[in-house]
Structure formats: C-alpha cells, structure tokens
Amino acid sequence: ALPDSEEFDVVVVGGGPAGSTLAALTAMQGHRVLVLEKEFFPRHQIGESLLPATVHGVCRLTGVADELAAAGFPRKRGGTFKWGANPEPWTFSFSVSPRMTGPTSYAYQVERAKFDEILLNNARRVGAEVREGCAAVDVVEDEERVRGIRYTDADGREHRASATFVVDASGNGSRLYRRVGGTREYSEFFRSLALYGYFEGGKRLPEPNSGNILSVAFESGWFWYIPLSPDLTSVGAVVRREMADKIRGDSDKALAALIAECPLISEYLADARRVTEGPYGKLRVRKDYSYHHTTFSRPGMILVGDAACFVDPVFSSGVHLATYSALLAARSINSVLAGLVGEDRALREFESRYRREYGVFYEFLLSFYEMHQDENSYFWQAKKVTRANRPELESFVELIGGVSSGERVLTDAEVLAKRFSSGSAEFAAAVDELAGSEDGSMVPLFKSSVVREVMQEGGQVQMRALLGEDAEPEAPLSADGLVPSPDGMFWLPVQGTGE
Ligand code: FAD
C-alpha cells in the first residue's frame, strides 16, 4: 500500500454507467471497491436511448434489472427511421418478427439523471464504497504499474487511495486516460457536432411504437427525437462541425432553423414548447466525441466506456459499449484477484473483446450513414468523401487487427474497404426489403451481416433462437483466448490450453 493511503482492491473513477457497472460486478465478488464521482447525483448526461443487451443482459448480472423495470421508463421496442432511399419512415424492431416478441425484445428510453443514480445506488447496495463530490487528480504509479489514485474531496482536501486496479470510467471530459499511455485517435468520418434540448408536448409515433426513438435524416445532418415520458422529449441535431460558429452565436435560433429545415421533426414539434427551466432548461452542445484510444490498459490501469472510445450517437451504442466494456473489465479483474488468470492474459482478453465490439458497431454505423444519399447536401457528401479516405480505414484496421474472430478476416484496408461497402449495400437492400414486406417481419434485416453481428454481440438470445445453426456459439477469440464462466463473472481458459 502507498503511505498515508486507504487500501482497496479496485478504485473506479467515475460513477456513470461504465463505472457503476464495474464497481457492482467486482464488489459482488467481495472485493474492496471505491468509486470516486466528482459530481453529486442526480446529474445530467446525454445518451438516453438504450439497447436490450444493457437492460436485460448486463443490468441483470448487476442485479438492477428489476429496479429498472419498476422505474417507469418508456419501453423502446426499436427505432423508427426516416433515413435512406425510402421516402417513408421504416421501423427496426428488437423483436425479430411480430411473432417473436420475447421478454427481452425491448429497451428503455431513460432520463440519465435517474438511470445513472439507480445504477450507482445499486453499486452501493452490493458493497462498493461510493464517494460523490470527489474528483480524481492523477494516478500514483511506479516503473512497474499504477498503484493508486490521488483525489480531492468536496472540501478540496487531497487524499490517496491505493489499489491493485485503477479503472478510468470518467467519460470523455476528463484527462486521466492519458496515463494509460498511447494516444486518443479522433475519427474524421464521425466528426460532427450535436446541438440538443428538451421539449414538452411533442407528438408520439403511433402505437405500438410510441416509445421508439425517431431518427430523421435531412439536408444538414440528422435529428434524434427520444420520448422520455408521455410529455418530455429529447431532441438533438447532429450536424457538421463547421456549424459551430452559427451555434455559438445563438443556439436557440440555430436549433429552430434546423428544425424548420426538417419537415417531419417540425410536424412532431408543431404543438410543443421547449423546456427553458430546470435541469432540461438549456440547449447543450457536444463535439469531439468520436474517438478510440490506441491502448485500453496497462498494468494496474484499465479504461472503460467513453474514457476508452465512442463511435457516434446514431443507433444508441454508447451506454451499451460502456456497460459491456465494464463487464469485460470486471471479468478480468475478478479473475486476476481470484488467482485464476495472470494479469497480462486477462487484460489482453478484455482488450480484444472490447475492440471487437467497438469494431462491430463502427462498421454498422458506417453502413448506416452510407445508406443515406443526398447529392445536394454538404453533410452527406462530406461523409461520402471521408469514407473513401484511406488513413481512417487504415487506422481502424490497425485497431482491430489481430483480434479477428474466424469470420472476421480483416487483413488490410483493401479487404476492409470491400467489406464495408458490401456490408452497406447488403444492409440498404435489407432495409428496402423490410419496407416492402407485408407483415413487417424483421428477418431480412437480421440476415444482413452487419445487423446480425451487432445483435449477436449484443447477446440477443432471440437471434440465436431464430438463426439456429447460423448463430455463433461463445468461442474464444484466439488460440490462447479465454471464455466467460457460466455465471458471467470470470474468464476461464478453454479446456486444454492452461495458463
Ligand atoms: P459518463 O456517463 O460520462 O460518466 C462519467 C462520470 O465520470 C461522470 O459522472 C463524471 O462526472 C465523472 N467524472 C469525470 N471526471 C472525473 C474525475 N476526474 N473524478 C471523478 N469523477 C469524474 N449513448 C447511448 O447509449 N444512447 C444514446 O442515445 C446516446 N446519445 C448520445 C448523443 C450524443 C450527442 C453523444 C455525444 C453521446 C451519446 N451517447 C449515447 C453516448 C453516451 O453519452 C456515453 O457513451 C455514455 O454516457 C458513456 O458512459 P460512461 O459511464 O463511460 O461515461
């Protein structure tokens, strides 16, 4: 232990979904876990539209799924999109077909202030020590590894805590991630800006889709429209970074002008008023959010959630990647602390699986943007041009290189470029087929390789049921790879490979 410090097994910096999930999963194994959160909850955050894998998968493991179910969040059956060649909005449902609506084929739309507080209190309940108003200042390290953290409490007093593992779950605003080494690589393709606010009295999609997210492409970019309660809607525009000047001038005017440019969102907001007081009262801007770090760990330190990477707001992958990476990291920590696997191997497993999941979403979201064409639009044309850009692809190949699963044989940018374009075309065709199908069956979409991978990696039990033989079993990623234990809390060597 460090002199003058409290001793823990795990110190988690940040009490968002990544931090509280990691804290819960390690505290549940009896480890001494400290969470440092610089704000006092509830606090505002964006990222309100969730995926089923989070609420039925990871949140089931942390024991918070029932509490979430009782919290009254709107149920999201899927996403409704005015996007791509089809002039009519089309709907992507989490249930594979109308006949296969299962108990896990929905997610929630959440007010993050409430959602994050439920998750953080759950981490407390299962044994983590949570200190709000405490900001991490820097790691404490020696030549070998990170040994702990320096932080200040709400009164500005400085403290030290030592730990076997320091987990950086501090989101995209802190700079702690730099201490892991490597660099943060920003994406040119996803380099946009989001301007968002909240409205009361907005229109709802017809049942049974009133809880869906509505995403609408228009000339300057696209809108999200997320029902957070019967009355409250989160509305955001994703536009080119170059819009920053306009928005800086008068964001109210800028948002109103963007809404006016988009007929469907104008129609949905025709009788609505913007909330101008309380936590939802101001318009907010987010930029520089799309990046990945070149390394996710070093001895004694791990990055999870937005501290490590984020792709893009489209299709709601942020909280999924945050909670899923926390699950992967927790398995690694639990395994090392229990003496089951060495640290190096456990962190390699975490990093490979996390990068693969990030890669699956990266590819899916590229396909999503690729599907929409608008010859007259600066936003959509710029996306086309950047997509053809080699450096971006090359850096991405490097990122996932070496962690390819059997079917994902990605060796160079050439192969990857081909894969992206065929994936995008296949996806666009599946959307058209879906829009033309009589019963609205999701099967064509789920047969598209990019969607299939996203849903499989997300742990969709239903997908496996539907695809049968085509669904992939949980397999090690590499020859000396590890697989999850039956309870999901540890990594185990595949039989015969040993340590
Ligand atoms: P956070 O939620 O950011 O939590 C980090 C916590 O760390 C914060 O509470 C912060 O106060 C604390 N912290 C920071 N620094 C310190 C410090 N030094 N010491 C102690 N504590 C610290 N995702 C979705 O799933 N669905 C969406 O619809 C969606 N929409 C998005 C729209 C936009 C415009 C953007 C930019 C993102 C969107 N996301 C969405 C992504 C989502 O917001 C994030 O991926 C998610 O919040 C990441 O969770 P996290 O736990 O990693 O970080």
Side-chain angles (χ1 to χ4, degrees), residues 14 17-18 37-38 43 45-47 49 112 136 170 306 310 318-319:
E37 166 54 57
K38 80 173 176 168
R43 58 99 181 82
Q45 177 56 297
I46 191 64
S49 197
R112 284 287 301 274
S170 58
D306 278 8
F310 176 64
V319 173

Side-chain angles (χ1 to χ4, degrees), residues 12-20 36-39 41 43 45-51 112 116 134-137 169-176 194 196 213 224 226 238 286-287 289 304-307 309-310 312-320 322:
V12 185
V13 181
S20 54
L36 301 171
E37 166 54 57
K38 80 173 176 168
E39 308 279 339
F41 277 23
R43 58 99 181 82
Q45 177 56 297
I46 191 64
E48 295 148 332
S49 197
L50 304 185
L51 292 180
R112 284 287 301 274
D116 289 17
C134 290
V137 179
S170 58
N172 74 356
S174 100
R175 293 148 67 99
L176 199 65
Y196 69 97
I213 183 172
W224 76 70
I226 302 173
V238 175
R286 289 286 301 269
K287 55 184 186 194
Y289 47 67
V304 292
D306 278 8
C309 59
F310 176 64
D312 189 84
V314 88
F315 208 76
S316 317
S317 61
V319 173
H320 164 67

Side-chain angles (χ1 to χ4, degrees), residues 172-237:
N172 74 356
S174 100
R175 293 148 67 99
L176 199 65
Y177 71 89
R178 295 180 178 189
R179 303 306 239 123
V180 85
T183 51
R184 182 175 276 193
E185 305 267 317
Y186 288 87
S187 161
E188 189 53 37
F189 183 88
F190 293 110
R191 187 168 178 263
S192 303
L193 175 152
L195 168 64
Y196 69 97
Y198 295 82
F199 289 79
E200 278 170 354
K203 193 175 146 177
R204 291 290 173 259
L205 284 161
E207 292 303 341
N209 295 323
S210 65
N212 280 13
I213 183 172
L214 172 65
S215 305
V216 184
F218 70 113
E219 191 172 323
S220 294
W222 64 274
F223 267 101
W224 76 70
Y225 187 96
I226 302 173
L228 293 176
S229 76
D231 201 38
L232 184 67
T233 311
S234 165
V235 180

Side-chain angles (χ1 to χ4, degrees), residues 442-463:
M442 288 289 126
V443 170
L445 262 189
F446 282 92
K447 278 195 172 152
S448 133
S449 61
V450 284
V451 176
R452 204 172 67 169
E453 270 188 74
V454 164
M455 301 315 281
Q456 271 177 341
E457 295 300 323
Q460 282 290 65
V461 190
Q462 281 183 295
M463 268 317 291

Side-chain angles (χ1 to χ4, degrees), residues 393-451:
L393 273 176
E394 269 148 29
S395 113
F396 182 64
V397 172
E398 226 165 80
L399 161 81
I400 55 172
V403 298
S404 322
S405 69
E407 78 161 328
R408 176 173 284 272
V409 188
L410 303 169
T411 47
D412 59 22
E414 194 89 17
V415 175
L416 194 67
K418 273 209 196 99
R419 208 196 131 101
F420 278 156
S421 51
S422 62
S424 302
E426 197 192 315
F427 177 52
V431 167
D432 286 346
E433 202 184 317
L434 162 78
S437 74
E438 297 270 294
D439 66 348
S441 164
M442 288 289 126
V443 170
L445 262 189
F446 282 92
K447 278 195 172 152
S448 133
S449 61
V450 284
V451 176

